Amino acid sequence: MIDPSLSYVEQLRRRADAIASLCVHGGEAPDQDGALDPPIVLSSAFAFTSASHAARAFQGEDDAWIYGRWGNPTVDALETKLAAIEGAETACATASGMAAIAGVLLASCEVGDHVVAPRSMYAESARLLRERMPKLGITTTFVDGTPEAYAAAVTERTRILYVETPSNPTLGVVDIGAVVELARSGAGSKAGSLGRPLVVVDGTFATPFAQSPLALGADLVVHSMTKGISGHGDVIGGAVMGDRALVDAARELVVKGFGGVLSPLSAWLVARGLRTFALRQERACATAASLAAHLAAHPRVAVVHHPSLATHPGHALARRQMHAYGALLSFELLAPPGGDALDRGRKVLEALRVATHAVSLGDVRTLVVHPASTTHSTMPAETRRLAGITDGLLRISCGIESEADLIADLDHALG
Ligand SMILES: *Cc1c(COP(=O)(O)O)cnc(C)c1O
């Protein structure tokens, strides 16, 4: 909830304050040598103290470390930190965001099951649902993200209501609470431990700074930790968080079964990045709102997508369900008379000096991409059009550089 009676900067400061100590200290305690920084335990196997210790460990009667794919102290400490920041019962770190997403989908669905997912979503997730899951007999209906569209698509085999909000790259906002209500209304499959469809939210764009899907009733939240959670663009990782039984099912399948385990070195890098998470997000979210307002008033810009703008269709909903409007925005260039938007987009990208032309997001560096020719080029053109990804659309992921430098850079490139 974003309180309109406070300035947005003050609102961001309060949100950062709420999680800052968890970011620094969560999951951490000095080790036996007194080392403040958690050691990177690279060992693939762990010694037993006796034969009966080994037997107890294998029976699950002793929570001894056994083997790196089944558990590792460095990864475990990261999972504790993540769960604390997200407000989750438990967390499972995975080798990448896609490992987390595939794990959750495959752990809950079997042949004949059905998923409802938004049309506007991360392209690789869309491809998993559109091209790969049907080969396993699991089908997906893609909808436009309104609760009514979700409701209309539900069948008696619907096992998952999948939500990605804000969405990529047009920052559409999906009403998590309304999808949760639908899942609990008796519609959809009665299979599984809950006897109803699961609500799974990809929270990568918002990060746990800007949104708490579990508090809104979602069953699981998935993240690409490659993005804002680690924040420094130096690691690939993912996470599944929520109810212990559901997270454990995903862990059994994706980490233990498919081997999508996060390496201890990667876990250490993510934990290191998380210590400054609240500070980084506070600044990046403030910059995103400033850039959105600046671009909205720019004569070369046709439209700006950011939930902070009163003109954004998801503005009121974002204010209700988010702690902040997030660090990503996108905007559409006006096509020059007689010229094409695609070409102008390329020229703008090549003129940037402070912002970097690269995929990914949530980095300390401001990153700009042209989705139609890069991240979303595998999407059929018609699907792209329905998802609102026009040829002149550029996406910005705000980093932590000087806001004035970024505005000057964009003004120069647009000119
Ligand atoms: C990057 C991203 C993913 C995939 O994460 P990887 O770590 O690259 O596997 C999934 N969803 C969203 C919204 C993303 O931005």
Side-chain angles (χ1 to χ4, degrees), residues 4-27:
S5 72
L6 296 171
S7 76
Y8 186 46
V9 166
E10 174 59 14
Q11 189 81 29
L12 292 173
R13 198 192 60 76
R14 290 185 185 198
R15 176 59 188 158
D17 229 32
I19 58 168
S21 303
L22 297 173
C23 293
V24 176
H25 296 295

Side-chain angles (χ1 to χ4, degrees), residues 122 168 204-205 226-228 231 328 358-363 367 395 397:
Y122 187 68
N168 185 19
T204 302
F205 262 44
T226 313
K227 316 291 171 54
L328 278 113
V359 297
S360 200
L361 54 104
D363 201 299
L367 304 177
R395 188 190 75 189
S397 166

